[in-house]
Amino acid sequence: MFQTIRNAFKIPDLRKRIWFTLFLLAVFRFGAHIPVPYLDASFMQMFLSGGGMDLFSMFDVFTGGAFSNATVMALGVSPYINASIIIQLLTVAIPALERLAKEGVEGRKKINNITRYVGIALAFVQGAGLYVTLHNMGIEMNQQVFSNTGALGFFVITLTFTAGTAFIVWLGELITEKGLGNGVSLIIFAGIVSAIPGGIKSVYETYLSANVSIKSVAMAALIVIFAIGAIVLVVLFNSAERKIPVQYAKRVVGRKMYGGQSTNIPIKVVSGGVMPIIFASSIMAFPQTVVRLATGGNLPGPGDFGYTILSCLSAGYGSGWTDIVYSVLYFLLIIFFTYFYSSIQFNPIELANNMKKNGGYIPGYRPGKPTSDFISKVSNRLNLAGALFLGFIAVLPVVAGAVFGIANLQIGGTSLLIMEGVALETVRQLESQMVMRHYKGFLE
């Protein structure tokens, strides 16, 4: 990877793209430290200190701490991602969107515009909900959260959150168009990476800052080995795929012969990527998020009604057997959403029909239904392996946090999958750009 990056800097066009991408990522990190007018950041940090992992804690991780610091980019690209998921699911249910998706480049442009507008609308709704929640929290604590509590303060704060999301989406589109890699993914990647020094500091303060002993050093070394092993495992599974051989029959059209070549259909083990984990974690975090919005950030304590239920639906909020229940439910939801997302993205019947129309077949299987049944069987087996892997990676940080006594590791699996996926995809795109620019024609 480092050799690839080194070679890329030797090509002027790629060097410009890389520096342009790094510059826009620096702009994003600079904007993540600009405070929102009329809002005290200490109340946002107090709002997040209630324990457990809800959607707001996920916002904070994916924005690199911009949410807890109450900056203009506090909501990050989460509203845009939510809008993308909603539009993607509606594409299957609404015929008009399905027709747009099949219209090629122009159709995708229209869907992207719809997604953009829906994302901005969601950002405004989320910003307004956050304002109301903080306002209720201030009333319960008998403190002044906003320096301006009138209509002006509401619209300034809400529109600032919305503008921050719109600006980040614009930066992401600029990176995709004129930079290198997928812009929105790289922005999420930058936010997660910026939180790594804080994690290292947390490990240092837990084991090495006070009483340094053989046990504490061994625990710190075990955490490092644990992290490296998880990274290697994610890389292996992200790159794993099953290649189904396909043979195309020879056809004579006029005086020319077509077909006769052999190819394959690559089916990835982790076909859904990080999406099943995001779906599952959002469902698990939704009840606690609703309770926080309704109560102004307060969560029920031990002995209160709903405490046990919320403890079973949020890691790090309860303790003991509730974390076990959370891990089991989380694991089962990931398996369900892996199959659900795969069924939306991958259609064996359509693939088999397209192969049949083009004269393709899988050796040993007749075209049509036998082919689609075989592809579906292979896909289900791979989905099971991918679902078990995703569940293991997602639950592993919960177990590690309980064993090592380190908080805020609950969505470490999600962060790790996002970082690895974005890094590998960016390197692949970089290599393809280098191959294209180093290509020599036959005359040379």
Side-chain angles (χ1 to χ4, degrees), residues 226-240 268-270 273-274 277 389-390 392-394 396-397 412-422 424 428:
F226 179 83
I228 294 175
I231 291 173
V232 172
L233 189 64
V234 169
V235 172
L236 290 176
F237 269 84
N238 266 335
S239 305
K268 295 181 69 66
V269 175
V270 188
V274 76
I277 294 183
F389 162 72
L390 290 176
F392 174 75
I393 287 296
L396 197 60
T414 310
S415 304
L416 185 61
L417 281 170
I418 291 174
M419 289 197 314
E420 292 290 335
V422 173
L424 291 174
R428 289 194 194 101

Side-chain angles (χ1 to χ4, degrees), residues 83-368:
S84 301
I85 295 172
I86 292 172
I87 298 300
Q88 194 172 23
L89 294 177
L90 290 178
T91 302
V92 183
I94 300 177
L97 290 177
E98 187 176 1
R99 286 194 298 268
L100 281 178
K102 295 180 179 180
E103 287 181 3
V105 178
E106 291 300 322
R108 285 195 296 270
K109 285 183 179 179
K110 293 179 181 178
I111 290 179
N112 288 337
N113 287 333
I114 296 173
T115 304
R116 197 178 297 118
Y117 295 139
V118 173
I120 292 176
L122 286 178
F124 182 84
V125 172
Q126 291 178 4
L130 184 60
Y131 176 92
V132 173
T133 302
L134 292 175
H135 179 69
N136 293 337
M137 185 177 71
I139 293 175
E140 292 187 4
M141 297 175 59
N142 197 21
Q143 294 187 21
Q144 188 81 11
V145 178
F146 308 108
S147 57
N148 189 327
T149 57
L152 177 63
F154 169 78
F155 281 107
V156 167
I157 293 173
T158 304
L159 291 177
T160 300
F161 285 140
T162 307
T165 297
F167 182 72
I168 294 175
V169 172
W170 179 67
L171 288 180
E173 291 176 349
L174 280 180
I175 291 174
T176 303
E177 180 182 355
K178 300 181 180 179
L180 191 68
N182 184 284
V184 174
S185 299
L186 283 173
I187 286 175
I188 298 175
F189 176 85
I192 295 173
V193 168
S194 65
I196 291 179
I200 296 175
K201 181 183 178 183
S202 176
V203 173
Y204 174 78
E205 291 177 347
T206 303
Y207 294 106
L208 301 176
S209 62
N211 299 323
V212 179
S213 61
I214 297 177
K215 181 180 178 181
S216 62
V217 174
M219 288 295 288
L222 187 62
I223 291 174
V224 174
I225 296 173
F226 179 83
I228 294 175
I231 291 173
V232 172
L233 189 64
V234 169
V235 172
L236 290 176
F237 269 84
N238 266 335
S239 305
E241 61 185 17
R242 165 77 184 275
K243 295 182 179 179
I244 300 177
V246 178
Q247 181 72 35
Y248 284 92
K250 294 182 179 180
R251 295 180 301 161
V252 177
V253 181
R255 295 184 177 181
K256 293 184 178 181
M257 182 176 292
Y258 296 91
Q261 74 272 18
S262 299
T263 182
N264 58 72
I265 303 174
I267 303 179
K268 295 181 69 66
V269 175
V270 188
S271 59
V274 76
M275 295 307 298
I277 294 183
I278 292 179
F279 283 150
S281 58
S282 299
I283 294 296
M284 295 293 288
F286 184 74
Q288 186 178 359
T289 304
V290 172
V291 172
R292 282 199 178 193
L293 289 173
T295 62
N298 296 323
L299 292 174
D304 294 339
F305 176 76
Y307 172 76
T308 302
I309 297 176
L310 288 181
S311 299
C312 294
L313 298 178
S314 179
Y317 179 50
S319 60
W321 66 271
T322 57
D323 283 342
I324 298 176
V325 174
Y326 168 83
S327 300
V328 173
L329 292 176
Y330 193 24
F331 190 86
L332 294 176
L333 273 178
I334 289 174
I335 294 178
F336 168 76
F337 280 114
T338 299
Y339 280 94
F340 173 75
Y341 192 74
S342 176
S343 65
I344 294 176
Q345 296 287 75
F346 185 69
N347 189 344
I349 298 177
E350 183 179 355
L351 180 60
N353 290 335
N354 290 335
M355 289 171 52
K356 185 177 180 180
K357 291 177 183 177
N358 294 306
Y361 63 94
I362 298 174
Y365 295 90
R366 294 176 59 85

